Amino acid sequence: MENSELLMRTTAALQPLLAECAAQGLRLTEADLRELVVLRQEALVRTGRLEFGSGILPSLIRRFSRSPYVDRENFAATIGELQDAFYDFKNESRDLFPDEELLDLMEAAFNGPARGSTDLLCGWTLDRLLRWVRDPESLDEEDLL
Amino acid sequence: MTELAQFPAEFAGIGDLLERQAARYRRVHGLGQGGSMTTELARELLASIQCTLALSPEAHGSLDRRLSAGQTVLLGKLEAARKRLALAAATAPDWQSEGREEEFSALENYLRRYDLYCLAHHVPETTIYPYLAPLPEDALGLDQAAGRLEMLWLENQIFALFPDAILEPFWDAFCGRDQGLTENPCGAVLRNAAAGAALGTSGLLLTPEQVESARQLSLEALRQAVLPLLSPLPPNAKSYALRAFERKGLFLF
């Protein structure tokens, strides 16, 4: 399948999410979706991964649309960064973590110590996140800068 | 990933099949459920799919059906190879050279770990064990393993021609001189037995003078001397044994 055809198909499959996000007051346009699909492809190439269908995007969008910290105007940019982090964490975990568990971890950290900062969340290693889960007091000042 | 493009148009649905194979691989190997996979894993799974489809007796039909047919062929080959492994293990002499042990261990590990559903294309590790005949050139790992186990079994039948009391001192000397890793013990037994028969001596250990005398004999003379000894062997074992006389080797001990 040609890349542009793949892009169109994937974007079309994600269309229902636009209405869901709008219902929550989140700005996500068709152009944003196309951009997210392109970013997804770039992230997959960068991390040496392959994914069929819509991939992790629908789960990411649905989960983080619920976050009290999400920036309603820059929702697409936030999702793009979280998508990048997701594939990095997947590689770090050597695929030992199921997708949903990894999303649980990311969601908890994003809404917890990261307070909605993708810079912070994406700057942590998976090992750091797991240590935080075991010991919530383990994050120090340097982790929160 | 360019490997996907190598599948002809009739293999529409290869992406779905790859996803299902990935899910199976994750389940079997204790990985988490997921929608993505590394390109490394994808390449391995695709190579396995190609290998399996090549074996399918079904020329037409769905991809799943053809894969299933290919897996049935692989299962038959795996069972046959495991039987050969059991036979080689059961008939092995009590004394094994280091090279033989390594070779057997490599084949045993390969058959224990062989994943016919997701990694059908994997081949056994090649050790430095020097068989008397060339290694099988089959592309399929299971056929390679079966061929090597067949030769180990043939060697066991050859060892069985000699009483323990004759073999044991030979093994002690053979393995103790570091030839245990790089020399084929079956070939060494046969050449020493042939030399002994030609010179009219008994046992497998040769004195230095006997070694010198044996070196003067032609390969054909040694082959003729050993033939009566090999007569109880079935044809394939006898044929394998005679390979030991295809080139002039060193006579040890």
Side-chain angles (χ1 to χ4, degrees):
Chain A
M1 193 186 293
E2 293 288 333
N3 266 345
S4 55
E5 191 185 335
L6 182 65
L7 177 63
M8 275 171 48
R9 283 201 183 196
T10 311
T11 311
L14 294 169
Q15 286 283 339
L17 290 170
L18 294 178
E20 287 179 39
C21 289
Q24 295 180 66
L26 292 170
R27 178 181 156 77
L28 191 70
T29 65
E30 198 164 320
D32 289 333
L33 266 189
R34 277 199 298 275
E35 178 65 14
L36 283 172
V37 171
V38 168
L39 286 174
R40 170 203 169 200
Q41 205 47 39
E42 288 171 3
L44 287 170
V45 169
R46 180 180 59 77
T47 54
R49 301 189 70 84
L50 188 67
E51 191 172 52
F52 295 97
S54 308
I56 203 65
L57 260 179
S59 294
L60 270 174
I61 290 172
R62 288 194 176 102
R63 278 210 188 220
F64 288 90
S65 65
R66 302 190 295 244
S67 169
Y69 289 102
V70 77
D71 185 327
R72 292 179 180 277
E73 287 304 311
N74 288 329
F75 181 59
T78 303
I79 293 297
E81 286 162 15
L82 290 169
Q83 181 177 240
D84 250 19
F86 174 82
Y87 293 123
D88 283 326
F89 287 144
K90 242 350 228 192
N91 277 356
E92 257 188 88
S93 79
R94 295 176 187 256
D95 285 273
L96 292 171
F97 266 74
D99 285 359
E100 289 302 308
E101 273 188 37
L102 194 48
L103 287 176
D104 285 343
L105 184 63
M106 287 175 66
E107 189 181 7
F110 183 79
N111 292 334
R115 294 178 188 272
S117 165
T118 50
D119 281 346
L120 266 183
L121 178 62
C122 299
W124 290 331
T125 61
L126 181 62
D127 181 58
R128 196 71 199 84
L129 282 181
L130 290 170
R131 275 190 283 140
W132 165 69
V133 165
R134 283 195 295 271
D135 176 10
E137 304 298 317
S138 66
L139 288 176
D140 56 27
E141 274 185 31
E142 204 179 298
D143 292 314
L144 297 171
L145 284 175
Chain B
M1 209 175 84
T2 55
E3 283 84 343
L4 281 170
Q6 289 168 13
F7 279 81
E10 67 187 278
F11 287 169
I14 191 73
D16 288 340
L17 179 57
L18 192 54
E19 275 196 287
R20 287 199 297 279
Q21 290 293 89
R24 181 178 202 138
Y25 181 88
R26 288 187 201 104
R27 222 169 32 244
V28 167
H29 295 269
L31 302 181
Q33 174 277 330
S36 63
M37 66 186 92
T38 60
T39 49
E40 188 187 337
L41 175 61
R43 284 194 177 98
E44 288 281 306
L45 295 175
L46 276 174
S48 177
I49 289 170
Q50 277 186 300
C51 171
T52 308
L53 289 175
L55 291 171
S56 173
E58 302 228 359
H60 306 287
S62 70
L63 214 51
D64 281 327
R65 192 164 140 184
R66 287 158 68 180
L67 194 75
S68 178
Q71 285 166 351
T72 302
V73 172
L74 282 170
L75 190 59
K77 285 179 180 280
L78 180 59
E79 284 169 358
R82 284 181 175 153
K83 281 183 183 157
R84 285 200 183 176
L85 179 75
L87 192 58
T91 57
D94 289 341
W95 304 278
Q96 293 273 34
S97 67
E98 193 178 342
R100 248 180 153 249
E101 276 179 357
E102 270 191 21
E103 172 67 0
F104 189 85
S105 183
L107 295 169
E108 191 180 33
N109 283 338
Y110 170 74
L111 291 178
R112 186 174 58 245
R113 292 174 184 164
Y114 185 74
D115 181 351
L116 76 93
Y117 295 105
C118 297
L119 301 172
H121 61 298
H122 275 195
V123 297
E125 174 199 343
T126 305
T127 68
I128 60 172
Y129 186 71
Y131 286 100
L132 298 180
L135 286 180
E137 286 180 9
D138 309 88
L140 188 63
L142 283 178
D143 289 339
Q144 288 180 32
R148 284 155 68 174
L149 286 164
E150 168 88 3
M151 288 195 283
L152 285 174
W153 177 53
L154 294 178
E155 289 180 5
N156 293 346
Q157 291 174 74
I158 294 164
F159 290 130
L161 293 173
F162 302 90
D164 287 352
I166 299 285
L167 265 182
E168 189 176 351
F170 176 83
W171 277 121
D172 286 343
F174 180 85
C175 298
R177 288 189 182 214
D178 298 328
Q179 274 82 21
L181 197 57
T182 57
E183 180 78 22
N184 185 299
C186 186
V189 162
L190 286 166
R191 287 193 294 269
N192 280 29
L199 298 172
T201 65
S202 61
L204 292 174
L205 295 178
L206 304 175
T207 63
E209 294 76 26
Q210 287 168 335
V211 169
E212 207 41 55
S213 300
R215 286 201 178 110
Q216 308 309 315
L217 299 170
S218 68
L219 279 176
E220 187 52 35
L222 289 167
R223 197 198 313 266
Q224 291 300 323
V226 85
L227 274 178
L229 193 63
L230 303 180
S231 59
L233 290 175
N236 54 351
K238 191 184 295 186
S239 172
Y240 182 80
L242 291 175
R243 292 275 196 162
F245 302 93
E246 285 184 356
R247 61 178 176 85
K248 191 84 174 179
L250 292 173
F251 282 94
L252 308 172
F253 328 123

